[in-house]
Amino acid sequence: MTQESQAPPEAGGPASPAAGPAAGGGAPPAGAGPPIPAAGAGAGSGAIEIRGASKSFPHPDGSEVPALSRVNLSVGAGEFITLIGPSGCGKSTLLRLIAGLERATSGSLFLDGRPIEGPGAERGLVFQNPYLFPWLNIHGNVAFGIKARRRWREEKGLVGQYLELVGLGRFGKVFPHHLSGGMAQRASLARALINRPLVLLLDEPLGALDAFTRMNMQDEILRIREEKRVTMIMVTHDVDEAIYLSDRIVVMTAGPGRVETVIPVPFARPRARNIPDFLRLRGKILEILNFAGRLEEPAYQI
Amino acid sequence: MALAVQLLWPDSGKHPPADKPYCAYALGICLVFFLLRPLIFLGRAETLARLREKDLFTAAAFLLLALLDIGTAKATVLPTLFFPTPDRVLSVLAEDFRYLIIDCLGSSAKLLLAGFFSGALAGLATGIFIGFSKNAAYWLNPLIKFLGPIPPTAWIPIVLVAFPTTWTGAVFLIALSVWFPTSVMTSSGILNVQNAYFEVSSTLGARRVYQVFMVGIPAAMPLIFTGLFSGACASFLTLMTAEMIGVKNGIGWYIHWQRQMLSYANVYAGLIVIAITFYSLITLFFRVRDRVLVWQKGMIKW
């Protein structure tokens, strides 16, 4: 734990919102209430600080393709952030930077004040495809992190516990290809959570699920967050999902990827999906996304 | 019916008779077995049903045997030298059993196992190195591509002078024939593992060496087994050639020797022993594979 005092969510609104062009139009409802009570003062770990992070990838023709341009973002400990935006806006890249799977071309990222230099067990990652190891049964998959960290003897009891947490207590002996999409995604959630990460990164984890499973899983994720008090950063395409789940929504735009604006979601949980405020916020986000998209469109209109 | 042909049709007298009517014995035993079959499998309807499915094939096999019997012993339309009666072949099997099985087959088995396992281990090691290390790939790949396709038996002239005994030379040849497909398949298996599995495992806290053994190799197992299988087939071939040319012992040598003595009954007996042995080895191989790759087949019941 370090002294790096992040702006906790309680500090009133996004204390350190995205830099860059904070879209003039959509000023978020100011003075948003505390999104969630962070897990006690002492447990203030799990805060992410992103400073001027850029990422470009080499193009086959030798040039560099910018994927992410000078992103600034602070995520408080225990906060739930969603990254939303059109494809190509760099939201997955941003998540991979935080996970340490990619290195930023410039700028830097910190977890609780320590620079992020590679993947680590304190930052769990769940992909859209669960990527369960097909050669291990569910128990083996969930146990993977414990064994990889050489903590099997001390922590093997956790496996059953985390299987229960995601409602797969009876499925330990089953191999991944027998599971439905939703169950597989729960298993991969348990596999990431068993390391008790400070931050859980979710890359469209529910993108491949049908609408009902999806809503169930959203509640599941919220329940797990309540229980485990982990910072969550989630990439999604679904505006409703973003509003339903997150404390703040980071709206990103493409070409190159950057943060357009950060919108706090002031509603208390549990949230209803059909109240007017919800729908109004939804409309606003869509408008921002649309507006951002239209910037490039005139070439085709007339 | 085959039994009837055997017993009722008088021998043409052109073949040297066997000491005992082994063919009649064998057919008699089969007949008794098939008559008693419903009783033997009284409590196991499933096994019986499975056997019943094969009945047509069994009948055809016996018909063929009867035709062979007619062609050789009864009507003698086939050249007597090269087509001994089933009786004689069976009599070799029965009377030379100890020599065939214990001496020849035992010697072959020792050679085969020593060669197969050293070749498989070397192939796995090479494949893993190439799969995980760019340096190893750089230096070893050309070697494999250049030397691998040489049929192992082409090395015989060199091996005969390079090794202290023909036995070690033969082990080397068999190992070589297993090594090539195993290392190629292992390395390509590892190189084809989806990168996401390595990414997931690294976010779960797995270090490089752990990933090699707990992600790379299990994920490559299906292809590794393909390589081992081609290696096993190649090793049978090499074994036979090595025995016929250099090693003065073993089942392959037996066939070669008996052919020179023009005792074709013994040649056929040797072939039958080889068929049964290699069939059993391949069956065993697939049993092991199915056990290891149980996650892939989707046959586990729960």
Side-chain angles (χ1 to χ4, degrees), chain B residues 121-196:
Chain B
L121 278 180
L124 280 175
T126 320
I128 290 165
F129 267 120
I130 292 176
F132 282 110
S133 150
K134 290 232 163 66
N135 268 328
Y138 179 84
W139 291 106
L140 290 177
N141 252 337
L143 201 69
I144 288 188
K145 282 186 188 151
F146 192 68
L147 297 184
I150 300 176
T153 44
W155 291 100
I156 283 178
I158 294 160
V159 165
L160 283 178
V161 285
F163 281 82
T165 62
T166 44
W167 196 83
T168 47
V171 169
F172 173 77
L173 282 183
I174 296 169
L176 194 65
S177 62
V178 179
W179 168 80
F180 172 58
T182 309
S183 57
V184 168
M185 281 302 172
T186 305
S187 64
S188 79
I190 288 168
L191 290 171
N192 280 327
V193 177
Q194 275 194 67
N195 199 33

Side-chain angles (χ1 to χ4, degrees), chain A residues 158 192 243:
Chain A
L158 289 179
I243 301 173

Side-chain angles (χ1 to χ4, degrees), chain A residues 27-301:
Chain A
I36 53 123
S45 48
I48 297 280
E49 175 76 23
I50 301 164
R51 290 194 203 131
S54 299
K55 175 72 186 173
S56 53
F57 292 99
H59 188 273
D61 70 10
S63 62
E64 294 276 305
V65 180
L68 213 56
S69 161
R70 293 195 309 282
V71 170
N72 292 298
L73 186 68
S74 291
V75 181
E79 202 178 2
F80 198 131
I81 293 281
T82 46
L83 311 176
I84 196 165
S87 50
C89 73
K91 47 197 194 305
S92 286
T93 306
L94 183 56
L95 209 65
R96 290 172 65 82
L97 287 178
I98 301 172
L101 294 174
E102 309 275 0
R103 300 297 305 271
T105 317
S106 65
S108 41
L109 296 91
F110 301 91
L111 169 66
D112 295 330
R114 288 184 306 273
I116 292 171
E117 276 161 350
E122 75 284 351
R123 280 158 288 132
L125 178 59
V126 174
F127 291 96
Q128 172 172 7
N129 182 327
Y131 288 119
L132 295 173
F133 303 121
W135 57 90
L136 296 176
N137 61 19
I138 300 310
H139 187 279
N141 266 281
V142 174
F144 188 92
I146 294 181
K147 289 181 176 165
R149 292 182 299 117
R150 312 235 178 275
R151 306 279 301 162
W152 176 244
R153 200 167 305 179
E154 298 89 331
E155 299 182 357
K156 60 181 161 196
L158 289 179
V159 180
Q161 216 172 301
Y162 276 83
L163 280 172
E164 290 294 337
L165 176 75
V166 297
L168 291 176
R170 281 174 43 245
F171 293 89
K173 290 209 174 92
V174 173
F175 279 91
H177 62 260
H178 286 295
L179 294 189
S180 68
M183 286 160 86
Q185 200 52 282
R186 285 162 198 260
S188 88
L189 209 53
R191 181 176 63 174
L193 286 167
I194 200 163
N195 281 334
R196 280 142 302 143
L198 302 171
V199 181
L200 186 63
L201 306 165
L202 303 145
D203 193 355
E204 290 188 60
L206 312 181
L209 305 179
D210 65 85
F212 291 106
T213 316
R214 199 179 170 114
M215 285 197 272
N216 278 331
M217 287 292 286
Q218 289 169 358
D219 289 329
E220 197 102 331
I221 287 174
L222 285 179
R223 180 177 63 78
I224 288 168
R225 194 181 77 118
E226 278 302 299
E227 205 174 317
K228 300 295 171 194
R229 291 279 161 222
V230 50
T231 307
M232 289 190 175
I233 304 178
M234 180 178 192
V235 164
T236 181
H237 275 120
D238 182 344
V239 178
D240 286 4
E241 185 168 280
I243 301 173
Y244 187 71
L245 292 175
S246 46
D247 301 317
R248 287 189 292 152
I249 299 172
V250 176
V251 183
M252 299 181 70
T253 51
R258 67 206 145 77
V259 174
E260 178 80 20
T261 183
V262 180
I263 300 172
V265 184
F267 315 135
R269 292 191 176 88
R271 290 171 180 169
R273 294 173 199 264
N274 53 0
I275 56 169
D277 282 346
F278 191 106
L279 298 175
R280 211 169 298 133
L281 186 56
R282 182 173 185 272
K284 199 177 87 181
I285 293 170
L286 287 174
E287 201 175 293
I288 294 172
L289 286 170
N290 246 334
F291 169 72
R294 216 177 295 144
L295 280 178
E296 289 151 33
E297 250 175 288
Y300 307 95
Q301 287 185 342

Side-chain angles (χ1 to χ4, degrees), chain B residues 241-252:
Chain B
T241 320
E243 284 184 347
M244 288 186 187
I245 288 174
V247 187
K248 291 277 173 269
N249 203 350
I251 193 80

